[in-house]
Amino acid sequence: MDKKYAVYICTGCGIGDALDVEALSAIPKEEGMPVQTHSLLCGKQGVASIKKDIEREGINTIVIAACSRRVNWDVFKFEGCIVERVNLREQVVWSHPRSEFPALTEEQKQDADSFDPVQLMAEDYLKMGMAKVERIDLPQPYKLEIVNRRILIIGGGITGISAAIEAARAGYDVTLVEKEKELGGHARRWRKQLPEASPYENLIPPVITDKIKSLEQYPNIEVKTETVVARVAGQPGDYTVTFKKPGEKIEFDVPYPLPDEMKVDENGKELDPETLHERFMEYNKGKKDILTLDPNGEKFGAVILAAGWRPWEPKGDELAHYGYGKLEDVVTNSLFEEIAAEGKIKRISDGKEAKSVVFIQTPGNGDDSDFEYTGAVTSLVALKQAKYVREDYTSDGKAFIFYQHMRTTGLLENFYKSIQQDEGIFMTKGDVVSVSKDGDGLIVEANDTLLGEKVRVKADMVVLATGMVPVTVDDPVVNMAYRQGPAFRDIDLFNGYVDSNFICFPYETQRTGIYAAGAVRRAMTAEESMIDAAGAVLKAIQCIESVNRGVSVHPRYGDMTFPDFFFQRCTQCKRCTEECPFGAIDDDAKGTPKPNPTRCRRCGTCMGACPERIINFVDYSIDSISSMIKAIGVPTEEDYTEPPLRVLGLVCENDAYPALDITGINRLSYSADVRIIPVRCLGSVNVVWIKDALSKGIDGIFLLGCKHGDDYQCHFIKGSELASIRVTKIGDALESLALENERVAQFDVAIDDYDRLPKIINDFVASIEELGPNPFKGF
């Protein structure tokens, strides 16, 4: 791209009042760049002046020094132009008010040893923006030759059927796969269903039959029963899927990557890359590569995983105090539903009428928790099944519900209230101690924690509120032909659920193009699952159409960039393949990366992982960020008697950067010694940036990003966690340079932690002050 530069500085929103705009304008002029100032750059006249320069002067590389990049992004979007936003408003003048950071007086301006920290900050940010645009280019979309718009839906229960209908209604061809002989899943074995319309008080007949009839009306829906997915290969817009019959053997997969035990020596120490590669080659000698496409496979553009759930089954004697496994009339709620669906509720042991039924919601014996995989759904199921007892035995049927936590969601609270009014249903918060045989019936003993009394209830049956286990706990279902393996990675950390970030991006899994709906995402009622199915279909459609346009899906929706590899310098270390949170990179037998651009979500984790720095994006690269770091002014004793510190903040654009903006909006201030560079994700931070900053003389560096760990909020799943590991490992390099480990730190914040940020930043700056200046300053 033949670049023609221009810089535009806005003086509105207090910028012109707080800063010496003439001094700012002198910076691009010294570099030979034309510069304009405007009192309202985002207004019609301001935008018109930029467009005029684009049309008449051929300007195509623009630096806009004004408000945050997070606002007016559509206003400052110019076709065919590189646009870099310099945040003078939120992160300079609003967060560093002159009431706290006074401008220099005329007398001070004559003193060469005086400086204005806010002005220096603004000048640095402008220089950083100018440096960046010199190192980036305009992205071009990556487009597949042919984009397949067919949607595969795995699971023929109420969620999968609903998803198929929604996709077909939207005009997409659908293939619905079900491993059983019939569609319907668990819903086929229900007596009744929870209410789904006002007043939400009465049970309704199952809607599954009507759903199946509706499905049959769509000619663009293909149904495959007694079929499972043997393998999903390829990438969004171009998946190749192999089907098989349950139990059928298909030989094309190899056990790749190496098993964990082969990655270490006899002492458990991790092997070096060369030895790992030798073992890999030996292990896969003569075997067929898992990535080889099936010539007989069917093509799809996106996949919806609606494989559902199975009932949780107690193991061993963990519920022996309830008689489960020994007393026939102690059953799970799933089995009780099947009994009720067959007709009048009767005991399993002798076929007699079950007029008194106790529903137990917790493990009991002093345990305040619920059964595994339970929640609002199991509470509602207990209420529903208690109603069955009253329907079958109107005059003398009794249902007792012992719970520690009763949860009803949304308008289903009305259903709970209607159950409370039934004189034959008794509910109490209680701790069940035991269930034992009593003649031809059962005795349930409990401590009533509301009344503080011991309770004994005679029962014909006892029902345990066991939970809904996502089938992905036992089986990956999709069987992906990815180098990272056939299953969703780290799924055990999420109890088998397949959401990649349930807080920010529901339906999305760790594999772009594969979306989750229903009970594989979280425990849901049938009503919630039908709504969830529509959401997953919308995500699948969005993915297909984004691939067709050559842009990324969420969270960087619309991004046309993709990782570009300089393979000549690749050492086949496989870090990019292994660390990508979305499995977007495969590799060949030698370990050379094989990117799949439409799987990529543009987080840049691969760029941060690469020790050779050969992975870049055209508008976000190792060089572009390094050039911004090098553009930061680092005052020394040659400049001032007491030079100010310089602290670099590498800040995640997803939560931390907007939190900083909100800090400015609320006029909360922090040290003016800090310089902020937004990054796509902390996972994209390459340690060379930290080394560049320290070698330039910057005194301290902090990384600011999303929370990681069990309660992770990282938009790219693993980014913050990977960054923390890299920061830990950089300690050895710091010590070799005679620098303290404390000069580099990482902090986790949520988007609403804006009020905490000033203290976090100021405390870190204070700790750097105690350490003293970077000894490399001035070299």
Side-chain angles (χ1 to χ4, degrees):
M1 182 177 179
D2 185 15
K3 295 179 182 177
K4 195 163 185 182
Y5 300 91
V7 175
Y8 300 88
I9 302 173
C10 182
T11 61
C13 299
I15 295 172
D17 297 331
L19 299 175
D20 184 344
V21 176
E22 188 177 333
L24 273 179
S25 301
I27 295 171
K29 288 178 181 177
E30 289 175 2
E31 299 295 325
M33 294 184 186
V35 59
Q36 288 186 33
T37 62
H38 198 283
S39 61
L40 187 63
L41 201 56
C42 61
K44 287 184 179 180
Q45 290 182 348
V47 173
S49 67
I50 299 175
K51 288 182 176 179
K52 180 181 176 183
D53 289 348
I54 293 171
E55 293 169 6
R56 295 186 180 181
E57 305 298 330
I59 298 298
N60 59 14
T61 305
I62 301 166
V63 178
I64 295 176
C67 49
S68 170
R69 59 193 278 184
R70 297 185 65 254
V71 297
N72 292 326
W73 59 270
D74 53 338
V75 173
F76 295 126
K77 185 177 181 182
F78 305 105
E79 195 68 31
C81 295
I82 295 171
V83 179
E84 173 63 15
R85 303 284 297 279
V86 175
N87 192 347
L88 296 183
R89 189 178 72 173
E90 286 86 349
Q91 292 183 15
V92 180
V93 301
W94 282 6
S95 52
H96 301 83
R98 286 305 186 183
S99 59
E100 296 183 39
F101 300 86
L104 295 179
T105 63
E106 289 302 321
E107 183 179 345
Q108 288 174 323
K109 288 178 182 179
Q110 305 306 315
D111 181 3
D113 208 32
S114 296
F115 57 87
D116 181 346
V118 179
Q119 182 70 24
L120 290 179
M121 177 182 260
E123 292 175 2
D124 273 352
Y125 279 140
L126 185 57
K127 291 174 184 176
M128 291 158 71
M130 291 164 53
K132 180 180 177 181
V133 293
E134 291 181 4
R135 299 294 195 277
I136 63 176
D137 283 306
L138 202 63
Q140 300 296 323
Y142 174 90
K143 291 191 174 184
L144 298 174
E145 289 185 14
I146 299 175
V147 176
N148 196 297
R149 286 181 163 83
R150 192 171 162 207
I151 297 175
L152 171 64
I153 299 172
I154 304 173
I158 197 163
T159 308
I161 291 170
S162 299
I165 292 170
E166 295 289 349
R169 286 176 59 194
Y172 289 79
D173 290 336
V174 178
T175 295
L176 177 63
V177 173
E178 168 56 46
K179 67 179 180 180
E180 304 292 341
K181 292 182 180 180
E182 297 179 273
L183 297 177
H186 292 284
R188 285 191 293 109
R189 298 184 286 275
W190 293 346
R191 177 195 280 194
K192 288 191 176 180
Q193 196 172 308
L194 292 165
E196 59 177 24
S198 181
Y200 293 92
E201 293 177 351
N202 301 307
L203 299 177
I204 62 173
V207 300
I208 191 64
T209 303
D210 291 339
K211 279 283 183 184
I212 294 173
K213 288 180 181 177
S214 177
L215 179 86
E216 293 168 349
Q217 305 306 308
Y218 289 91
N220 52 338
I221 298 178
E222 175 191 20
V223 176
K224 293 176 180 283
T225 54
E226 294 186 278
T227 303
V228 296
V229 173
R231 187 177 70 159
V232 175
Q235 57 185 327
D238 188 28
Y239 285 119
T240 300
V241 180
T242 305
F243 298 110
K244 67 177 184 177
K245 295 297 179 183
E248 180 185 357
K249 297 284 186 181
I250 296 182
E251 297 294 338
F252 50 54
D253 290 354
V254 299
Y256 185 98
L258 281 174
D260 290 340
E261 61 270 17
M262 293 188 68
K263 295 180 181 179
V264 296
D265 61 19
E266 59 275 10
N267 299 316
K269 186 178 179 181
E270 188 174 330
L271 296 172
D272 61 83
E274 187 175 342
T275 307
L276 273 174
H277 180 63
E278 290 175 1
R279 286 199 180 182
F280 167 79
M281 295 298 290
E282 182 63 31
Y283 189 65
N284 288 284
K285 191 174 181 179
K287 295 179 182 176
K288 191 173 181 181
D289 195 331
I290 191 174
L291 301 182
T292 304
L293 294 178
D294 180 2
N296 300 315
E298 298 187 33
K299 291 290 187 179
F300 294 91
V303 179
I304 294 174
L305 179 58
W309 59 280
R310 64 165 174 82
W312 178 74
E313 289 290 338
K315 299 180 182 66
D317 60 354
E318 60 183 309
L319 295 181
H321 56 295
Y322 288 162
Y324 183 78
K326 296 179 181 178
L327 302 176
E328 284 186 278
D329 295 324
V330 178
V331 300
T332 64
N333 51 6
S334 181
L335 178 56
F336 186 81
E337 187 70 36
E338 292 181 28
I339 293 169
E342 292 174 1
K344 215 168 188 180
I345 299 167
K346 295 180 179 180
R347 298 193 305 206
I348 295 176
S349 60
D350 55 13
K352 291 183 179 179
E353 294 178 336
K355 295 184 177 182
S356 177
V357 181
V358 173
F359 296 87
I360 302 175
Q361 301 297 103
T362 60
N365 259 349
D367 188 347
D368 185 48
S369 64
D370 292 330
F371 290 112
E372 290 186 49
Y373 293 97
T374 58
V377 181
T378 39
S379 292
L380 290 163
V381 167
L383 299 176
K384 179 182 78 163
Q385 294 179 343
K387 194 72 173 174
Y388 293 167
V389 179
R390 295 291 292 148
E391 288 177 345
D392 286 357
Y393 306 105
T394 309
S395 60
D396 54 353
K398 290 181 175 59
F400 303 84
I401 303 176
F402 288 97
Y403 65 88
Q404 291 289 0
H405 314 98
M406 177 60 67
R407 304 177 179 93
T408 55
T409 54
L411 290 173
L412 286 171
E413 179 77 10
N414 292 346
F415 180 59
Y416 169 66
K417 289 178 179 178
S418 72
I419 295 294
Q420 283 182 312
Q421 304 308 312
D422 192 314
E423 60 184 16
I425 299 177
F426 307 90
M427 292 184 283
T428 187
K429 184 175 174 68
D431 178 33
V432 178
V433 178
S434 67
V435 177
S436 57
K437 191 73 175 170
D438 180 54
D440 65 349
L442 303 169
I443 283 287
V444 177
E445 297 185 69
N447 295 320
D448 188 318
T449 53
L450 286 180
L451 301 177
E453 299 176 355
K454 293 189 179 297
V455 179
R456 285 169 58 88
V457 178
K458 285 184 66 68
D460 296 312
M461 291 186 75
V462 169
V463 181
L464 306 179
T466 51
M468 303 165 67
V469 182
V471 295
T472 41
V473 164
D474 312 308
D475 182 358
V477 183
V478 283
N479 295 309
M480 295 167 284
Y482 284 40
R483 277 295 187 234
Q484 289 185 0
F488 296 102
R489 195 163 65 166
D490 300 326
I491 197 170
D492 54 313
L493 300 178
F494 316 120
N495 295 318
Y497 296 115
V498 296
D499 256 358
S500 69
N501 194 316
F502 64 93
I503 297 173
C504 301
F505 309 113
Y507 315 112
E508 295 187 0
T509 71
Q510 297 174 29
R511 300 294 178 247
T512 308
I514 300 176
Y515 299 96
V520 293
R521 209 166 72 73
R522 64 174 177 84
M524 296 184 190
T525 65
E527 297 71 35
E528 289 173 321
S529 295
M530 289 186 281
I531 296 169
D532 212 54
V537 168
L538 289 172
K539 293 299 294 186
I541 291 172
Q542 182 194 56
C543 177
I544 291 170
E545 299 309 324
S546 295
V547 169
N548 188 50
R549 290 174 52 214
V551 301
S552 173
V553 297
H554 274 84
R556 292 189 58 81
Y557 176 71
D559 188 347
M560 287 190 292
T561 66
F562 52 89
D564 182 35
F565 291 72
F566 185 67
F567 288 111
Q568 290 88 331
R569 285 216 333 260
C570 179
T571 61
Q572 290 85 34
C573 69
K574 297 201 230 181
R575 282 183 58 181
C576 59
T577 306
E578 293 173 0
E579 292 189 17
C580 175
F582 306 104
I585 304 172
D586 295 319
D587 54 32
D588 62 18
K590 294 181 180 179
T592 303
K594 294 174 64 177
N596 297 275
T598 67
R599 289 186 200 170
C600 176
R601 295 197 201 172
R602 282 66 167 179
C603 61
T605 298
C606 54
M607 186 173 82
C610 182
E612 293 297 315
R613 305 179 296 285
I614 66 164
I615 306 172
N616 293 282
F617 299 78
V618 293
D619 65 353
Y620 180 66
S621 63
I622 299 293
D623 191 30
S624 67
I625 302 299
S626 288
S627 68
M628 294 177 76
I629 293 170
K630 291 168 185 174
I632 298 171
V634 180
T636 66
E637 290 181 353
E638 293 181 4
D639 302 303
Y640 307 108
T641 305
E642 295 184 7
L645 293 174
R646 280 296 171 263
V647 173
L648 172 65
L650 298 169
V651 176
C652 173
E653 69 180 12
N654 295 298
D655 272 10
Y657 192 82
L660 271 173
D661 277 354
I662 299 170
T663 297
I665 291 169
N666 284 275
R667 306 305 197 269
L668 303 175
S669 61
Y670 51 87
S671 172
D673 296 336
V674 173
R675 301 293 181 265
I676 300 296
I677 295 179
V679 296
R680 292 188 177 186
C681 173
L682 290 193
S684 71
V685 174
N686 194 292
V687 294
V688 73
W689 295 340
I690 297 174
K691 293 175 182 176
D692 282 349
L694 292 171
S695 63
K696 180 178 172 59
I698 285 176
D699 301 289
I701 302 119
F702 66 84
L703 281 64
L704 197 64
C706 307
K707 295 179 180 179
H708 60 90
D710 291 341
D711 187 29
Y712 81 100
Q713 293 175 17
C714 177
H715 290 50
F716 297 108
I717 309 174
K718 306 280 285 183
S720 293
E721 181 182 341
L722 290 168
S724 68
I725 294 170
R726 293 172 195 158
V727 167
T728 302
K729 290 183 177 179
I730 204 173
D732 294 339
L734 292 175
E735 289 179 6
S736 68
L737 295 170
L739 293 173
E740 302 86 348
N741 288 344
E742 292 80 8
R743 290 190 184 273
V744 181
Q746 180 173 336
F747 306 108
D748 300 339
V749 294
I751 196 169
D752 58 354
D753 284 334
Y754 67 91
D755 54 340
R756 292 179 51 230
L757 283 178
K759 183 174 184 344
I760 290 173
I761 294 172
N762 290 337
D763 285 352
F764 180 71
V765 172
S767 71
I768 298 299
E769 285 178 347
E770 290 183 9
L771 293 174
N774 181 341
F776 289 96
K777 196 185 294 282
F779 285 91

